[in-house]
Amino acid sequence: MTAVVERIAVPTLALLASAVLFGLLLAIYARVDPLEAFALMYQGAFGTWFSWQNTLTRAAPLILTALCTALPARMGLIIIGNEGALVMGGVAAAAAGVAVIDAPAPVVQLAMAVAAMIVGGLWIALAGALRQWRGVNETISSLLLTYIAIALMNHFVEGPLRDPSSLNKPSTWPIGDQNMIGTITGTDVHWGLVLGIVACLIVYVWMRFTTWGFALQVIGGNPKTARMMGLDVGRYVLLACGAGGAMAGLAGMVEVAAIHGRANASLAVGYGYSGILVSFLARHHPLAIVPVSILLGGIGASGGLLQRRLDLPDAAVVVLQGILFVAILASETLYGRLWKPKEAA
Amino acid sequence: MIDRFTIGRRALLGGAAGAAALGLTGGADAQKPLVIGFIYVGPRDDYGYNQAHAEAAAILKKMPGLKVQEEEKVPETVAVEKTMESMINLDGATLVFPTSFGYFDPYMLKVAGKYPKIQFRHCGGLWTEGKHPMNTGSYFGYIDEAQYISGIVAGMTTKSGKLGFVAAKPIPQVLRNINAFTLGAQSVNPKITTQVIFTGDWALPVKEAEATNSMIAQGVDAVACHVDSPKVVIETAERAGIFTCGYHCNQAKLAPKGYLTGAEWNWERVYVGFVESLKANKPLENFVRGGLKEGYVRTSAYGPAVSAAAKEKADAAKTAILNGSLAIYKGALKDNKGNTVIPAGTSYVITEPKLESMNYLVEGVVGSTS
């Protein structure tokens, strides 16, 4: 019981501390009434039905990209190449969508999703393989792979896959309005949100109730022991990285199929990097990723209002995100120190 | 005379409904100002593309009965849809200016379909009658006319005969600027070459500095650019003691010695025009586009390094553009691979649609589009 209370109390404390710190910054540095700022943030993020939809729309891609860091993190790997996997997934989805454009819409969408997940999965599996068989640090290699992914995207979008009519914003051919995945009935939020939540549930069940998930945790705990137990560590590295990359790739597919209708430079706008933040804030727990994504989506949604009403720079919400990140990481040291376990006494 | 003032009840109601439909209920009512939203893709103090818009927005802010809302660093994704909707739903905006080229399709079109009573005007000449909704529209400027003038001044000033151009992407709008700049320089000295380097994206400060430095090392002594923020290029060039031509807005402050002139937008003209139409209850124009003559673009005041002879040549060309006697793009014109792109005897006016899909660099430009 104490453990559950602690798991909720510690992040809550960290959130409160960040809010106080951010409020002080606003009051002292930006000379803005922090209460007014927080009221505006609430209004912009959760205050109206429109604000809620705004928040959820922004949260959707973060849920999927966060899994790209969270899954390998279960076995102790720090992957930060989410952006690259998203971008590659988006390009693959657009290419697949255009290739089978005349098929029935569900077939096109499935082809897009499968292509995006395979390409995104291979992309991060590559970082895992480099780590496993060549000893290359997976954090650095996955980050560098992102630069390669963006360069590849630019190459495809400005070269072989370019729609010649996209003059001043080079893009691939469109996948067609009939093949777009649309919005959840009665809302303005696209189905990517549901996909993300389902993915988190599946990952949770997989981690919690299967031997594969258990094996990942054993390897994360001590790879040497795992090897002595006869676990094929290399296979699990590829599996965790591949599955994580597939999720980010799927995020790229959702961007193409729900928002842009084609692949272009709009894929690389930082959802992958925000996903890293979400995963760390959620302590890599698949179920915590959903509320954390919604929180960060809300901060993003309210940023505009802070700019427009209080004349704050766009950097204000970035500062808040940074404070949150540091506070959550620092709060890790509080676990086990807030309460003395009574059972022992 | 009496008749003029006996307005029927129906006419009055009709007028009120019309005003309401345009979102103009505040037109006569001083309590409720007209809310206008500006959306920028980068920081509004970038000494470049976004600042050019923000400077014009600042002028609107001073006009009575207007409330201007600005949001910066909004990416070309669903985020800009949400920003537009947020301005409409939470601020009560009735006219929105999404200023980045990539905001148009599908983002602005989608939101415009959802809010038919709100007016949207987008920067970049993409609106097509019959294809796009009537509550949307485009405005843009033929800024290559101003680049041509910059080219003349750079051509008259260079000693090495080598000019440089730091560019983002080889898309038609950028190619027009590189080519117009080069043709301007060649009009005063046909031997001049322009070294072009494409950085690959709109805001890559490190690559822009590297490109500028490598050009300086190659003997280039005057640079121009087309990136979102010319700040880095201009400052790097000034430190190396070479000449610069600005872009988007006036960067003379960044290079007090080497700044020659620059191609600037004059969006104030466009925005004030739209607001006046709105206030007068007239339908907003759907497509406005102009160059030096219409005042949509202008050139920066000459810097201290510009000679009297250079000023004379540049002013003469400006006059000729204004009275229509000078065509920038005319045959015979070859690209830098030797192909004829405009045959002899053909001359394009600046509004020529073929120029909109330009995919070549003219002879004398060192560089490649792919």
Side-chain angles (χ1 to χ4, degrees), chain B:
Chain B
M1 279 307 285
I2 300 288
D3 283 356
R4 269 186 69 192
F5 295 98
T6 49
I7 300 167
R9 194 164 49 106
R10 263 168 215 276
L12 198 65
L13 284 173
L22 275 169
L24 274 182
T25 42
D29 181 359
Q31 300 296 315
K32 220 178 152 210
L34 188 62
V35 182
I36 300 177
F38 280 88
I39 306 170
Y40 314 122
V41 73
R44 72 189 98 164
D45 52 356
D46 65 353
Y47 277 99
Y49 185 86
N50 299 292
Q51 185 167 331
H53 288 286
E55 280 175 2
I59 291 166
L60 289 194
K61 273 185 180 170
K62 290 186 194 132
M63 291 172 70
L66 283 191
K67 200 165 165 208
V68 175
Q69 301 277 17
E70 298 171 276
E71 197 170 322
E72 63 177 359
K73 291 177 98 170
V74 179
E76 293 169 355
T77 63
V78 72
V80 69
E81 294 176 19
K82 293 299 165 190
T83 291
M84 283 184 259
E85 290 196 71
S86 180
M87 284 173 161
I88 296 162
N89 287 324
L90 303 179
D91 299 340
T94 50
L95 170 61
V96 182
F97 293 113
T99 62
S100 183
F101 187 85
Y103 287 159
F104 188 79
D105 184 17
Y107 322 105
M108 185 187 92
L109 292 177
K110 205 155 127 193
V111 179
K114 210 168 145 187
Y115 298 89
K117 287 180 183 167
I118 307 295
Q119 295 290 326
F120 301 80
R121 292 297 177 274
H122 171 259
C123 183
L126 289 171
W127 188 84
T128 313
E129 185 155 19
K131 189 175 167 195
H132 298 126
M134 290 305 283
N135 63 329
T136 63
S138 288
Y139 55 95
F140 209 53
Y142 297 107
I143 201 160
D144 35 350
E145 292 186 335
Q147 286 283 10
Y148 185 83
I149 307 294
S150 285
I152 293 175
V153 178
M156 292 294 288
T157 314
T158 176
K159 292 191 181 69
S160 66
K162 287 180 177 176
L163 308 180
F165 203 109
V166 182
K169 295 183 182 223
I171 58 171
Q173 179 59 25
V174 177
L175 298 176
R176 284 182 73 149
N177 280 332
I178 299 168
N179 290 337
F181 178 75
T182 307
L183 292 170
Q186 288 172 345
S187 75
V188 296
N189 176 1
K191 284 188 187 144
I192 285 179
T193 59
T194 304
Q195 168 76 53
V196 62
I197 295 181
F198 293 102
T199 59
D201 219 329
W202 296 106
L204 294 172
V206 176
K207 278 198 181 171
E208 289 155 17
E210 282 169 355
T212 314
N213 280 325
S214 94
M215 285 175 179
I216 294 165
Q218 292 170 47
V220 164
D221 64 355
V223 287
C225 64
H226 185 163
V227 293
D228 267 1
S229 169
K231 188 167 186 272
V232 170
V233 173
I234 304 277
E235 283 179 339
T236 309
E238 178 79 355
R239 246 180 311 205
I242 68 162
F243 303 109
T244 48
C245 293
Y247 191 55
H248 292 312
C249 64
N250 193 324
Q251 287 104 22
K253 257 194 265 173
L254 299 173
K257 283 193 200 130
Y259 194 78
L260 299 174
T261 182
E264 296 179 28
W265 303 105
N266 187 22
W267 295 130
E268 172 196 348
R269 209 49 229 196
V270 181
Y271 292 138
V272 171
F274 279 131
V275 168
E276 275 168 357
S277 295
L278 251 194
K279 283 193 157 177
N281 254 342
K282 283 195 291 191
L284 283 195
E285 301 84 339
N286 289 97
F287 193 90
V288 293
R289 197 160 178 174
L292 285 170
K293 192 177 172 190
E294 292 79 8
Y296 287 16
V297 302
R298 63 189 172 202
T299 55
S300 312
Y302 299 119
V306 182
S307 67
K311 283 181 195 170
E312 199 183 308
K313 290 254 184 196
D315 287 341
K318 209 188 282 179
T319 313
I321 288 175
L322 291 179
N323 68 26
S325 63
L326 191 157
I328 296 175
Y329 306 101
K330 58 178 185 287
L333 186 66
K334 280 187 175 170
D335 69 11
N336 65 358
K337 291 175 195 151
N339 308 315
T340 301
V341 284
I342 303 179
T346 307
S347 153
Y348 290 149
V349 287
I350 202 76
T351 51
E352 166 65 39
K354 278 186 188 147
L355 297 173
E356 304 280 321
S357 52
M358 189 178 281
N359 59 0
Y360 52 84
L361 292 162
V362 297
E363 197 173 15
V365 178
V366 184
S368 158
T369 54
S370 56

Side-chain angles (χ1 to χ4, degrees), chain A residues 258-289:
Chain A
I259 313 278
H260 309 299
R262 53 181 71 85
N264 56 34
S266 286
L267 282 171
V269 291
Y271 292 139
Y273 295 110
S274 301
I276 305 168
L277 180 62
V278 170
S279 183
F280 272 88
L281 292 183
R283 303 185 77 229
H284 312 306
H285 192 295
L287 292 187
I289 282 175

